[in-house]
Amino acid sequence: MKSPAATGASPAPRAAKPARLREVGATPAETKENTMEKTPAEEPGIPLGERLNALGQAILPPLLGIVALLGIWYVATMKGGGIPGPVQTWDAAVALFADPFYQNGPNDQGIGWNVLSSLQRVAVGFGFAAVVGIPMGFMLGRSKFLAAMVNPIISLLRPVSPLAWLPIGLLVFKKADPAATYTIFICSIWPMIINTAVGVQRVPQDYLNVARVLALSEWKVVTKILFPAVLPYMLTGIRLSIGTAWLVIVAAEMLTGGVGIGFWVWDEWNNLKVEHIIIAIFVIGIVGLILEQSLILLARKLTKESA
């Protein structure tokens, strides 16, 4: 028997030849079927009508809700009064956002600078709360004795109003800015501690038994077993904490002054610019919604990656 090298023929043409014969001899219907199979863009998927229907169901109800809110607002203010209507507020918003980053001194800055200052305080206070709260949650979840010792303190301090912590911060730090950051820290740390500890306590005991059999170190138990299992609980605590932090900063800045969206609201009240207060309410809500949705997207991505 002669080898392919000896006959001068390579294996590839022999394999391709039957395929070419099949294409030549194929019927038009078979050729069309083969072409459809080779074109990914023509693969059957969700029909365009169903996609448009789903898009309409996702957009239409919120849009109708916003229109209904504006209608109620317009009807309630059409006879005048102290609260401006949607048209007057819109005109004020157009003028306000024409230059959101102007500076006319330390106490007269655009709404953009005030929002950025508030976000900076929230980032610092929330960051410190995450650095302290998440490891503490792991420790409480791993140690029943430590949890029994600390849980009554958490239950006692968690319901305390955020504004009750502010005088303590002013007394300790002697300045308004670190006192506001401290208030954010102390109010946003509890959801992270509690959710992380609950997540650790709900890790199946079988996982920990396997780790004990394999004689894994505590670091590997935390990083390889506990962290992936606790991640959804931890992200839920982070999402709750960022909402709390954003709520607290507005109230804290109203009392401490300086630059920030809370101080800006109080300053506009002193200037009797009610339409600016309504604009600030919408801005605070939109920024809070963006923060929450960003964390939800991050949580979904990290959860998929850890799955």
Side-chain angles (χ1 to χ4, degrees):
M1 182 176 180
K2 296 180 179 180
S3 65
T7 58
S10 62
R14 288 184 178 180
K17 190 172 181 180
R20 179 178 177 82
L21 290 174
R22 281 199 302 270
E23 290 178 4
V24 173
T27 63
E30 291 173 346
T31 303
K32 184 177 180 181
E33 183 178 353
N34 292 335
T35 303
M36 292 179 64
E37 290 177 356
K38 294 175 181 179
T39 308
E42 297 181 5
E43 289 181 351
I46 301 175
L48 181 61
E50 292 186 8
R51 292 183 182 179
L52 293 177
N53 187 25
L55 186 64
Q57 290 180 356
I59 294 177
L60 192 59
L63 190 62
L64 290 177
I66 294 174
V67 171
L69 175 64
L70 294 176
I72 294 172
W73 182 12
Y74 179 78
V75 171
T77 57
M78 63 185 303
K79 292 184 178 180
I83 298 179
V87 177
Q88 186 179 354
T89 304
W90 173 258
D91 293 338
V94 171
L96 191 65
F97 286 101
D99 187 12
F101 292 100
Y102 75 87
Q103 284 188 333
N104 294 329
N107 294 326
D108 186 11
Q109 300 185 22
I111 189 172
W113 290 120
N114 287 280
V115 171
L116 290 179
S117 298
S118 297
L119 286 174
Q120 183 181 3
R121 292 191 185 98
V122 167
V124 175
F126 176 79
F128 278 118
V131 169
V132 176
I134 292 175
M136 185 175 292
F138 272 97
M139 288 190 291
L140 294 184
R142 292 285 289 162
S143 172
K144 292 183 179 180
F145 177 80
L146 188 61
M149 187 173 67
V150 177
N151 281 340
I153 301 174
I154 295 177
S155 301
L156 177 68
L157 299 181
R158 187 168 58 89
V160 175
S161 170
L163 298 182
W165 294 103
L166 188 59
I168 305 297
L170 291 170
L171 179 66
V172 173
F173 297 102
K174 310 294 183 186
K175 291 183 179 179
D177 196 33
T181 304
Y182 154 79
T183 306
I184 294 170
F185 164 79
I186 201 69
C187 293
S188 60
I189 194 173
W190 309 123
M192 282 188 276
I193 294 176
I194 294 172
N195 281 274
T196 305
V198 169
V200 172
Q201 292 167 354
R202 291 188 179 181
V203 173
Q205 187 61 37
D206 293 341
Y207 294 0
L208 302 177
N209 292 337
V210 171
R212 192 175 297 111
V213 170
L214 296 176
L216 297 181
S217 64
E218 185 67 16
W219 172 253
K220 286 191 175 180
V221 170
V222 171
T223 56
K224 301 296 183 183
I225 297 177
L226 293 181
F227 188 80
V230 175
L231 187 60
Y233 295 90
M234 196 167 59
L235 292 173
T236 301
I238 291 174
R239 185 166 60 85
L240 295 174
S241 295
I242 196 66
T244 304
W246 189 240
L247 288 174
V248 169
I249 189 60
V250 175
E253 288 176 344
M254 281 185 178
L255 297 178
T256 57
V259 181
I261 190 65
F263 169 74
W264 192 79
V265 170
W266 192 249
D267 192 47
E268 296 306 301
W269 165 248
N270 291 329
N271 295 328
L272 297 179
K273 294 181 179 179
V274 183
E275 62 273 14
H276 284 185
I277 297 175
I278 296 175
I279 294 169
I281 290 172
F282 280 105
V283 170
I284 292 168
I286 291 171
V287 173
L289 183 63
I290 292 173
L291 291 175
E292 184 177 4
Q293 291 300 317
S294 301
L295 287 174
I296 289 175
L297 291 176
L298 178 64
R300 288 176 180 171
K301 183 178 180 181
L302 293 178
T303 304
K304 287 181 180 178
E305 289 180 355
S306 63

